Amino acid sequence: MVAVPQRDDYLDTLNPAQRAAAEYGEAGADGGLASGPLLVIAGAGTGKTMTLAHRVAHLVMSGVAPERILLLTFTRRAAEEMTRRVEAIVRKAMGRGDDGRKVVALPWSGTFHAIGNRLLRQFAANLGLDPAFSVLDRGDSADVMDVVRHELGLSASRRRFPKKETCLAIYSRTVNTGDTLSRTLQDGFPWCLDLEAELAELFRGYVRRKQANQLLDYDDLLLYWQRLVAEPDFAACIGAEFDHVLVDEYQDTNRLQASILLALKPEGEGLTVVGDDAQSIYSFRAAEIDNILGFPDQFMPTANVITLEENYRSTQAILDSANCLIAESERQYRKDLYATDRPGTKPAYVTVEDSDAEADYVVTSVLANREAGTELKRQAVLFRSSHHSDRLELELVRRNIPYVKYGGLKFLEAAHVKDLLAILKWAENPRNDIAAFRVLKLLPGMGPRYAARCYARLGESDFDLGRLGDFVPPAAAGADWETLVALMAGLGAASLEEAGWQAQLTAARGWYRSQLERLYDNAETREADLEQLEQIAGRYATRERFLTELTLDPPSKSGDRAGDPLLDEDYLVLSTIHSAKGQEWDAVFVLNVTDGNFPSEFATGDAARIEEERRLLYVAMTRARQSLALLAPLRFHVTAQHPQGDRHVYGARSRFVSDRLLATMRPVFHGSEQDRAGAFAARPARRIDAGAEFLDRW
């Protein structure tokens, strides 16, 4: 037990609502602090982490033994940060300087999965587990799923069967939501509905294999924990070990996690959960918003609710817009975020001509902010889906602006983009064995050995792509081989200066589409990337220039975080909104705020998903401290239009951007200018044998 504090001002830095949350409860009969169930609704930027840390510190300072506090978070970093803050607060309260010795330890602070692992090893015998069971990470779990998939002959089916990662995602979602497999498929994987029986067989085999080998995956850590505390005597045994249970980011819990908490503290004694329903954006990970919305009514009497509304991050002008947006949500805890002495300027609603203009506006604004004193790393560009930044990434490379991207691969690192580019690279240089091997191995039955033989045979004709058909492929390649031969012959014969060369990319995409659907899941999303690549190609006069510029300075080169400060002292942040949650920047730009993106077209017709999309935009807006811009392109490039017509469709204003919301913003319009580089008027005819000169050097 911690000694009586020498100072009692350690809570003075908190505002009234934060302090009420930290101090909630009464002195217990046997010492410590007794409290009923408490829900802290912590709006964006209202000091959630600081409040929770002060509550834990106050429990310790009130006489609660640290080992009787269970603190649950969603990341190891969050648990470590919370422990660090509690240590600092308690040290200050005790009037202790930094002597290098810990004054308080929280042995039961960690993620749900880490705590579950500890408990299951202690109760292994009761669950029929070996205490030395192994925990599988996601990669290992997918590999086990794949082994069973092959053993059952599902991978050899004449029909396309989901790949191992998709199978694991279906299994995990079913377990964590508690839904039936049929419901999971209907809600999230409708293209697999007619495979329900095969998937059920696969999952039974997956579970049997894990059990036979004493293997637990991430989901099992929660599933076994939940099953353990479903028995009242075990729940009472574990619950009695903790006087207080505190949960961070409660809006992100799934049904399994909520049921575990309720089993441990059925009356809610000592239970404190902190979260923000307006930031519940992880339903695709089985997070259940009803957990936080229904929390007060799970107990009799109902849980106490304390709302934090004073925002320490954003200007009032930004908060006015964010408040206006979220006020339209039907199910929520009403809150009105406010800032003290930070009026700020209205956020910008920027109408742009197209994605080129959008990229130009962002880059121009980012550079202007930098010149005005806002470092690149204090600015962020946020987007709904990873591919939305494709055009921007290339513009950043062109203008020599370093960046780091969170949430998905960088555009040119994606496997399907590299596949399509390999076709053009092989056509450009038939001797390019790297590109040749990548293209050939796309074909069914064409492994490394066949690819090597094909490449060698092509070499016999001095790498004439018109002779590619001389090679006899494996039977599995079938018609795909014949169409590839025709494609490469056409691409190989094309002039280097051929006008309208982008049609070559269209033809390559047409051939690759069937391979894409066969090789990868999420084909629709990947197809959008390839459409974007085709749009980008339209900016280059020749195939050679397109490939060369992307190769010389690809986004992956400039986009990596600089490890050496001499290489880049600064970098712009690009991030999906999901990856940006919990972060903040001085200036924030949100791309593609149009219907079909906000909300996503995949959410259409589902009221719950529409509301989550609204919360997603809210999260994006509340990442900004001083400056916020929502960008809305008027048109988007498409490939389904007639080649002689306009290859664009026109965007509609997001349904979330109401007239009331627009009244809190300032309108901006930004057009674009096409890059028209002139050709050399005259070119000498003399040939320079540079290759021979370079070879002679050695």
Side-chain angles (χ1 to χ4, degrees), residues 539-673:
R539 296 174 55 86
Y540 297 88
T542 67
R543 183 177 72 194
E544 178 275 333
R545 184 180 174 187
F546 170 65
L547 294 172
T548 301
E549 291 199 13
L550 291 188
T551 303
L552 286 177
D553 200 4
S556 59
K557 181 178 178 182
S558 295
D560 291 338
R561 185 192 296 270
D564 187 337
L566 297 177
L567 297 179
D568 272 312
E569 79 281 4
D570 204 4
Y571 49 84
L572 180 67
V573 176
L574 308 185
S575 177
T576 62
I577 300 170
H578 288 98
S579 297
K581 186 172 172 292
Q583 306 296 314
E584 58 185 50
W585 296 272
D586 287 353
V588 170
F589 305 85
V590 187
L591 302 183
N592 290 352
V593 184
T594 57
D595 236 48
N597 296 310
F598 288 99
S600 166
E601 60 183 320
F602 300 110
T604 304
D606 188 319
R609 291 185 179 181
I610 293 290
E611 285 305 303
E612 181 164 329
E613 293 289 313
R614 184 192 307 276
R615 297 193 295 270
L616 192 65
L617 182 57
Y618 174 82
V619 168
M621 295 170 66
T622 54
R623 299 310 94 194
R625 295 193 189 103
Q626 301 170 7
S627 170
L628 172 66
L630 306 185
L631 290 100
L634 291 176
R635 58 180 191 164
F636 296 87
H637 180 88
V638 297
T639 58
Q641 305 290 96
H642 191 279
Q644 303 303 317
D646 185 10
R647 307 192 75 171
H648 293 81
V649 296
Y650 290 85
R653 190 172 88 183
S654 168
R655 69 192 71 183
F656 299 148
V657 183
S658 64
D659 291 340
R660 290 183 59 237
L661 177 56
L662 283 177
T664 69
M665 311 184 77
R666 54 187 174 89
V668 177
F669 177 78
H670 187 78
S672 64
E673 295 184 4

Side-chain angles (χ1 to χ4, degrees), residues 116 118-129 220-238 260 263-264:
R118 287 182 61 184
L119 289 172
L120 293 186
R121 294 193 188 277
Q122 293 187 23
F123 290 87
N126 303 102
L127 291 163
L129 295 171
D220 288 330
L221 296 175
L222 298 181
L223 196 61
Y224 275 89
W225 187 4
Q226 190 268 344
R227 182 62 187 89
L228 181 66
V229 297
E231 302 294 327
D233 51 344
F234 286 102
C237 173
I238 298 172
I260 289 170
L264 293 178

Side-chain angles (χ1 to χ4, degrees), residues 145-219:
M145 185 75 75
D146 203 38
V147 169
V148 179
R149 182 171 170 267
H150 285 296
E151 289 177 347
L152 295 175
L154 298 173
S155 59
S157 172
R158 297 177 65 88
R159 300 174 54 203
R160 181 171 71 109
F161 196 82
K163 300 184 73 173
K164 60 183 181 180
E165 294 84 2
T166 302
C167 293
L168 184 63
I170 296 170
Y171 170 84
S172 181
R173 186 178 180 91
T174 304
V175 168
N176 285 287
T177 60
D179 287 336
T180 62
L181 176 57
S182 177
R183 177 65 182 271
T184 298
L185 295 176
Q186 184 177 343
D187 289 349
F189 306 86
W191 63 277
C192 296
L193 269 170
D194 60 342
L195 297 171
E196 181 180 350
E198 292 91 335
L199 286 167
E201 182 185 13
L202 171 63
F203 298 157
R204 282 193 297 271
Y206 174 65
V207 172
R208 289 194 192 100
R209 193 173 191 92
K210 287 190 298 177
Q211 292 177 351
N213 294 282
Q214 289 292 310
L215 304 173
L216 272 66
D217 60 25
Y218 285 168
D219 300 321

Side-chain angles (χ1 to χ4, degrees), residues 271-473:
L271 180 59
T272 299
V273 300
V274 182
D276 182 8
D277 56 296
Q279 298 186 69
S280 178
I281 58 174
Y282 292 115
S283 66
F284 65 94
R285 296 180 185 169
E288 178 58 71
I289 192 174
D290 285 340
N291 289 347
I292 191 169
L293 292 177
F295 182 84
D297 297 329
Q298 289 182 311
F299 309 98
M300 290 297 292
T302 60
N304 192 30
V305 180
I306 296 176
T307 303
L308 309 184
E309 296 181 300
E310 184 173 359
N311 179 283
Y312 297 92
R313 174 186 300 158
S314 307
T315 64
Q316 187 61 54
I318 292 173
L319 295 178
D320 288 342
S321 295
N323 287 335
C324 185
L325 170 70
I326 204 64
E328 300 294 327
S329 184
E330 295 182 359
R331 299 176 66 221
Q332 62 168 306
Y333 292 99
R334 297 289 175 181
K335 64 184 80 66
D336 191 19
L337 302 184
Y338 66 92
T340 303
D341 301 325
R342 297 193 312 278
T345 58
K346 285 185 175 182
Y349 181 77
V350 187
T351 305
V352 294
E353 196 174 332
D354 50 26
S355 59
D356 286 344
E358 184 176 54
D360 182 73
Y361 177 86
V362 170
V363 174
T364 301
S365 301
V366 163
L367 291 177
N369 291 342
R370 180 176 178 270
E371 290 302 311
T374 304
E375 296 176 306
L376 293 178
K377 69 180 75 175
R378 289 161 52 197
Q379 305 182 63
V381 183
L382 307 182
F383 30 86
R384 173 65 180 81
S385 299
S386 184
H387 70 270
H388 287 178
S389 68
D390 294 347
R391 178 65 194 88
L392 174 63
E393 289 185 58
L394 292 174
E395 185 67 14
L396 291 171
V397 171
R398 190 177 74 85
R399 297 171 70 167
N400 196 32
I401 300 174
Y403 69 93
V404 60
K405 182 175 180 180
Y406 300 102
L409 292 171
K410 299 182 185 68
F411 183 49
L412 297 186
E413 294 177 350
H416 51 290
V417 175
K418 295 171 72 173
D419 290 345
L420 188 58
L421 287 175
I423 297 174
L424 295 184
K425 290 179 179 180
W426 193 20
E428 191 72 12
N429 177 14
R431 297 176 183 271
N432 187 333
D433 59 340
I434 303 299
F437 274 57
R438 187 175 190 103
V439 174
L440 291 170
K441 289 192 292 183
L442 294 173
L443 293 164
M446 188 74 85
R449 290 185 179 179
Y450 267 105
R453 294 175 189 170
C454 180
Y455 184 79
R457 183 64 182 271
L458 193 65
E460 295 174 2
S461 64
D462 197 28
F463 297 97
D464 179 3
L465 289 175
R467 301 290 300 276
L468 188 61
D470 293 348
F471 179 74
V472 180

